[in-house]
Amino acid sequence: MFTKWRIFAVNHQRTFSVHLNTMCYCKIKANLKRLKTQLPLTRNYSSAPGIVGSDVKSLHSIINPPVAKIRNIGIMAHIDAGKTTTTERILYYSGYTRSLGDVDDGDTVTDFMAQERERGITIQSAAVTLDWKGYRVNLIDTPGHVDFTLEVERCLRVLDGAVAVFDASAGVEAQTLTVWRQADKHKIPRICFLNKMDKTGASFNYAVESIREKLKAKPLILQLPIGEARTFQGVVDVVNKEKLVWNSNSDDGKDFERMPLSEASDRELLRETIEARNSLIEQVADLDDEFADLVLGEFSENFDLVPAEKLQAAVHRVTLAQAAVPVLCGSALKNKGVQPLLDAVTTYLPSPEEREDRFLQWYKGDLCALAFKVLHDKQRGPLVFLRIYSGTLTPQLAVHNINRNCTERMSRLLLPFADQHVEIPSLTAGNIALTVGLKQTATGDTIVSSKASALAAARRAGRGEREHGKKREAESLLLAGVEVPEPVFFCTIEPPSVAKQPDLDHALERLQREDPSLKVKLDPDSGQTVLCGMGELHIEIIHDRIKREYGLETYLGPLQVAYRETILNSVRAADTLDRVLGDKRHLVSAELEVRPSEEPCAVATIEYADCVGEDLLQASREAIESAVHSACLQGPLLGSPVQDVAMTLHSLMIHPGTSTTMVTACISRCMQKALKKADKQVLEPLMSLEVTVSREYLSPVLADLAQRRGNIQEIQSRQDNRVVVGFVPLAEIMGYSTVLRTLTSGSATFALELSTYQAMSPQDQSALLNQRSGLAPGL
């Protein structure tokens, strides 16, 4: 049995003092006697971490628990709300780490990259697996910085529930709104954890009200704090009318008491709890018909008699329907309130079978999984994270990638247990797995057991060959991936020498596979490699990773804003391409019209006039669309992508035997000619800005934003601070963090998010063109 198990220590993470190789059973037994007090092979949650428990779990329960006992959850929040600290406490209390990690000390499990530990922020999402009271919890800690929003998006895609962490002194912040919208988009049930209840300025009521007002959610208060800020001691369980008080002498927060509230010693607290419980029962009864019938039928005269189990079941149904969100509180840093949060995760958030996708019935138990993350390991190569929706994964299994239409064989199957990867013999539906050996698979790819399996599932779904043909048939069963946002910053990157260019290309190829929001392109005029990213920090991190992980001292050019271009009027153009290649004549003649589109659109809208023959279009439609899209990649003003444009093809003449390449070349040249003739407009990215500043520094911050072409929408009050909400062009906000620190003596914070692209004023556009005239093609 032991020969099938190997424990792998992750390169960048803490490792156990002993590494177990595949050795014979007797050898392991001898080593265990000697090292019994050093290495916990089994988990006993009643004992302290590091002590070997007497209860030995079966391998089957560790690897494949019942689907009803699985919880796939994510931790999401605004930056610095305490996500990673909460994750660290969850790992410690569940028995999978032996010491409490701290973000400030740079020794947390999930923040294992050097850049994360230096900056004290989460950059990459990290998956950990743990057990809690008989439940398997697959937990993903996500970043809070706006530059890494895609990390949150692709994790939420594969999760069944989420814990939204809030700073109790700040309530809902800018990035909280972003991740909340992402959870709404993927219909993720969630619970709220009001963290930092011990922080100066913490206010439970303010935080709950901000959830109600800003997120338009219905909070269900399941806990009340005992004290706030410095006086915070514990929490009250509203459902069970009990108080949980942590021992002030306990260093790790494991020692706490759960006591029923009594009239004698907790009169005021009991009164508040009864009021909160009655209010909770009324709220849930309004949202759940089954619970309403129960309350009105049996407990209408006395809500106190409503059983806690019935109330919990009703809150679970309401949470699953996303009609409301349970609210809990605590302080992860002070080790208070984390164990009840884990209980709430298992009680109120759904299992995979409660979130099952309708189309999975078409696979009838065959393998169907979604790749949502890729990492590169120096020893093992690409590590692909998969969420298994149906079927079973085993090592050495050949799987088919529908997106890339290729078959690959996975060599190993791993389970991420805290800071280890444990090799396992199989994994069933509902779990999150880590695979080794999939060299082509990327984020968003759908994995099935074989091509025949996908086609059979498509036929069961009623999408047979008669309608779409075999290729479209398989495409129709793709699991929805993630939408990759367009980059807003770009800069050139150069290797230290020409000989190192292949190494740089290899590094960038790997980094792009890990991070789909990173785009790399080649400048056709200068031949330079251009990095396109989501922000200053994003590009800075990529640059640092190339240096540390691939040993390349690269040079970055100045950061530049990713502008867009559009046209203001309708223009017609015609073009003819006549070439003789070998003994064949290639002749194409086209006339088209470009105009501003009625609705904003990133990709050009293509229409065809009635006079263009259907037979002609049938053969050349793909070539025409490819030509239009390639022509819109570089606009006539700055060489930036063209958007909000519609094209109508009025006439097309193709000589028999003309290649589709010539059709594409002619249409593309005609399109470029039309764009040059039209009145052109530069569009600049407009950022949504939120600055949190104390009252005394408000005036200088507002004056500075006015100089940056900022448009202030409102100024909100948040406790003793002011929150400035508005819009500002991205070009004006570069390097803003340094200026803001100087203006406010380091006390203010800000958050940015891309809002839209807006037309530049004639003066600003003229100044930009003059500034970029040496760089812009064709000027």
Side-chain angles (χ1 to χ4, degrees):
M1 177 176 70
F2 280 88
T3 55
K4 292 182 180 178
W5 284 76
R6 279 174 279 178
I7 299 175
F8 297 95
V10 179
N11 288 341
H12 303 290
Q13 302 175 3
R14 300 192 306 272
T15 58
F16 280 142
S17 57
V18 175
H19 176 71
L20 294 178
N21 288 316
T22 50
M23 57 178 78
C24 66
Y25 175 72
C26 57
K27 215 171 186 180
I28 291 180
K29 195 172 179 183
N31 282 335
L32 283 178
K33 282 183 180 177
R34 185 167 49 86
L35 300 169
K36 196 171 184 180
T37 57
Q38 295 180 30
L39 182 63
L41 281 182
T42 62
R43 301 287 183 183
N44 181 358
Y45 300 120
S46 60
S47 62
I51 306 300
V52 177
S54 57
D55 299 330
V56 180
K57 294 182 180 178
S58 73
L59 293 181
H60 187 270
S61 70
I62 292 174
I63 299 165
N64 289 313
V67 178
K69 294 285 188 179
I70 297 174
R71 298 291 182 271
N72 294 312
I73 66 159
I75 307 280
M76 62 181 200
H78 183 84
I79 190 169
D80 212 25
K83 298 178 298 301
T84 301
T85 304
T86 303
T87 304
E88 193 68 23
R89 299 312 184 256
I90 286 172
L91 283 171
Y92 179 71
Y93 296 133
S94 60
Y96 284 95
T97 54
R98 291 180 289 171
S99 61
L100 288 167
D102 194 292
V103 172
D104 296 330
D105 295 339
D107 60 354
T108 59
V109 171
T110 52
D111 283 355
F112 56 84
M113 288 172 60
Q115 294 87 347
E116 292 177 315
R117 294 188 165 183
E118 286 174 5
R119 290 170 169 80
I121 62 170
T122 302
I123 294 168
Q124 281 193 345
S125 56
V128 291
T129 299
L130 56 104
D131 288 357
W132 179 255
K133 295 183 178 178
Y135 286 84
R136 159 65 46 80
V137 180
N138 296 312
L139 184 149
I140 297 182
D141 178 26
T142 63
H145 198 283
V146 67
D147 284 16
F148 311 108
T149 300
L150 182 70
E151 280 288 317
V152 185
E153 175 91 9
R154 63 179 175 179
C155 292
L156 287 176
R157 170 64 189 85
V158 298
L159 296 174
D160 301 316
V163 177
V165 180
F166 298 80
D167 181 337
S169 66
V172 175
E173 299 175 87
Q175 190 65 7
T176 316
L177 283 164
T178 303
V179 296
W180 196 269
R181 283 196 299 266
Q182 288 174 312
D184 282 338
K185 174 182 169 185
H186 294 290
K187 298 183 171 63
I188 303 289
R190 65 216 81 148
I191 59 180
C192 300
F193 180 61
L194 305 184
N195 192 25
K196 303 191 178 183
M197 283 302 303
D198 63 308
K199 185 179 176 182
T200 303
S203 170
F204 181 81
N205 292 333
Y206 169 78
V208 170
E209 195 58 34
S210 72
I211 291 171
R212 184 180 288 111
E213 292 295 322
K214 294 184 179 179
L215 300 179
K216 308 301 178 189
K218 294 179 180 176
L220 301 176
I221 297 174
L222 303 186
Q223 289 180 350
L224 294 172
I226 302 174
E228 290 180 348
R230 289 185 180 180
T231 61
F232 179 65
Q233 301 171 12
V235 299
V236 173
D237 183 343
V238 172
V239 175
N240 293 295
K241 291 187 288 188
E242 295 175 334
K243 66 176 180 180
L244 287 73
V245 179
W246 275 259
N247 187 341
S248 57
N249 297 322
S250 173
D251 291 333
D252 62 2
K254 282 197 168 191
D255 186 12
F256 67 94
E257 284 186 275
R258 180 185 286 269
M259 298 172 288
L261 292 169
S262 65
E263 184 75 33
S265 59
D266 310 298
R267 177 175 297 178
E268 188 62 27
L269 202 55
L270 181 61
R271 184 186 61 80
E272 289 179 18
T273 303
I274 290 172
E275 286 180 7
R277 192 174 194 268
N278 291 344
S279 174
L280 174 65
I281 290 170
E282 289 173 5
Q283 275 184 286
V284 175
D286 285 341
L287 299 169
D288 186 76
D289 292 340
E290 182 183 334
F291 185 68
D293 293 340
L294 176 73
V295 171
L296 294 174
E298 299 179 35
F299 308 103
S300 56
E301 294 181 4
N302 190 353
F303 283 176
D304 284 351
L305 300 177
V306 175
E309 298 78 18
K310 298 287 185 184
L311 181 53
Q312 287 175 337
V315 172
H316 174 77
R317 290 193 297 272
V318 167
T319 306
L320 188 58
Q322 298 159 66
V325 287
V327 176
L328 299 95
C329 61
S331 170
L333 186 64
K334 299 298 182 183
N335 313 315
K336 295 174 183 175
V338 177
Q339 296 96 326
L341 174 63
L342 268 170
D343 291 336
V345 164
T346 59
T347 304
Y348 302 118
L349 290 180
S351 67
E353 61 186 1
E354 291 175 301
R355 292 264 302 161
E356 199 143 348
D357 213 308
R358 278 180 57 199
F359 80 80
L360 292 180
Q361 60 188 332
W362 304 330
Y363 280 96
K364 291 199 171 179
D366 281 350
L367 175 66
C368 179
L370 179 69
F372 67 94
K373 186 175 173 64
V374 180
L375 293 175
H376 282 89
D377 186 271
K378 288 182 180 178
Q379 277 74 38
R380 303 183 197 124
L383 303 177
V384 180
F385 284 85
L386 295 176
R387 163 67 194 269
I388 309 170
Y389 286 96
S390 70
T392 303
L393 273 181
T394 56
Q396 304 303 323
L397 180 70
V399 294
H400 181 71
N401 185 326
I402 300 181
N403 299 67
R404 306 189 185 277
N405 194 25
C406 67
T407 298
E408 298 185 272
R409 185 177 296 277
M410 66 176 72
S411 57
R412 294 174 186 168
L413 190 61
L414 308 172
L415 202 61
F417 267 96
D419 53 356
Q420 300 179 73
H421 291 163
V422 180
E423 189 165 346
I424 53 175
S426 68
L427 206 59
T428 54
N431 281 290
I432 289 175
L434 190 56
T435 63
V436 181
L438 301 181
K439 293 183 169 55
Q440 304 297 321
T441 304
T443 298
D445 287 356
T446 302
I447 304 297
V448 294
S449 56
S450 65
K451 191 169 186 177
S453 170
L455 296 176
R459 282 193 290 274
R460 292 188 200 110
R463 300 171 182 173
E465 294 178 31
R466 290 170 296 174
E467 294 180 25
H468 301 295
K470 289 189 176 180
K471 185 180 177 184
R472 292 294 298 276
E473 200 175 74
E475 288 175 356
S476 67
L477 285 177
L478 291 177
L479 289 165
V482 292
E483 292 178 17
V484 180
E486 286 298 313
V488 292
F489 273 114
F490 70 93
C491 67
T492 57
I493 182 168
E494 294 180 2
S497 64
V498 177
K500 293 289 185 182
Q501 184 67 47
D503 295 336
L504 176 60
D505 293 340
H506 174 68
L508 290 175
E509 182 185 344
R510 284 189 162 192
L511 289 170
Q512 278 186 97
R513 195 173 165 207
E514 288 186 23
D515 181 3
S517 65
L518 172 69
K519 303 285 175 64
V520 179
K521 60 183 183 181
L522 197 67
D523 188 303
D525 298 308
S526 64
Q528 290 178 302
T529 304
V530 180
L531 278 185
C532 306
M534 300 306 299
E536 293 178 81
L537 179 62
H538 187 203
I539 289 181
E540 184 186 331
I541 294 294
I542 293 297
H543 183 226
D544 194 39
R545 287 189 64 189
I546 291 172
K547 177 181 177 182
R548 293 189 194 224
E549 296 174 26
Y550 298 94
L552 288 173
E553 285 280 359
T554 53
Y555 305 102
L556 290 183
L559 274 179
Q560 303 203 36
V561 176
Y563 292 98
R564 297 284 186 271
E565 298 180 31
T566 190
I567 58 174
L568 301 176
N569 60 332
S570 178
V571 173
R572 276 198 181 218
D575 196 25
T576 300
L577 186 67
D578 192 355
R579 295 281 187 276
V580 176
L581 297 176
D583 57 349
K584 275 191 178 182
R585 185 186 184 194
H586 300 267
L587 175 62
V588 187
S589 182
E591 183 181 358
L592 55 81
E593 177 190 14
V594 293
R595 64 185 185 282
S597 61
E598 296 176 2
E599 297 290 331
C601 55
V603 180
T605 306
I606 302 173
E607 298 172 359
Y608 301 95
D610 295 336
C611 57
V612 181
E614 188 62 38
D615 293 340
L616 202 59
L617 281 179
Q618 196 78 22
S620 53
R621 189 188 298 269
E622 196 173 320
I624 294 168
E625 292 178 359
S626 172
V628 171
H629 295 150
S630 65
C632 290
L633 289 176
Q634 282 198 310
L637 281 175
L638 296 170
S640 300
V642 179
Q643 67 179 43
D644 304 338
V645 167
M647 186 280 287
T648 303
L649 185 65
H650 286 286
S651 72
L652 179 66
M653 187 277 291
I654 303 176
H655 188 273
T658 301
S659 71
T660 54
T661 306
M662 291 297 176
V663 176
T664 301
C666 179
I667 299 290
S668 180
R669 199 167 72 177
C670 191
M671 186 81 181
Q672 289 170 345
K673 190 185 293 186
L675 291 173
K676 283 181 180 177
K677 285 169 65 178
D679 295 333
K680 297 167 282 291
Q681 171 72 58
V682 176
L683 305 174
E684 64 177 344
L686 187 69
M687 308 302 286
S688 172
L689 173 72
E690 185 178 290
V691 183
T692 305
V693 60
S694 58
R695 198 178 309 174
E696 58 187 301
Y697 295 115
L698 181 62
S699 295
V701 167
L702 292 175
D704 179 67
L705 287 175
Q707 292 180 343
R708 296 173 182 270
R709 295 192 282 140
N711 180 9
I712 307 302
Q713 298 295 301
E714 60 176 325
I715 300 174
Q716 304 169 350
S717 295
R718 180 184 291 167
Q719 310 283 36
D720 296 330
N721 292 329
R722 296 291 177 266
V723 181
V724 180
V725 179
F727 298 100
V728 63
L730 178 60
E732 303 290 344
I733 211 74
M734 290 171 70
Y736 183 60
S737 57
T738 305
V739 174
L740 186 64
R741 277 198 296 269
T742 305
L743 286 174
T744 63
S745 302
S747 63
T749 60
F750 77 101
L752 278 176
E753 185 183 5
L754 179 64
S755 173
T756 185
Y757 278 85
Q758 72 167 9
M760 295 185 77
S761 67
Q763 298 87 348
D764 292 330
Q765 180 169 321
S766 176
L768 175 67
L769 292 175
N770 289 335
Q771 178 191 345
R772 298 276 292 273
S773 58
L775 303 173
L779 290 179

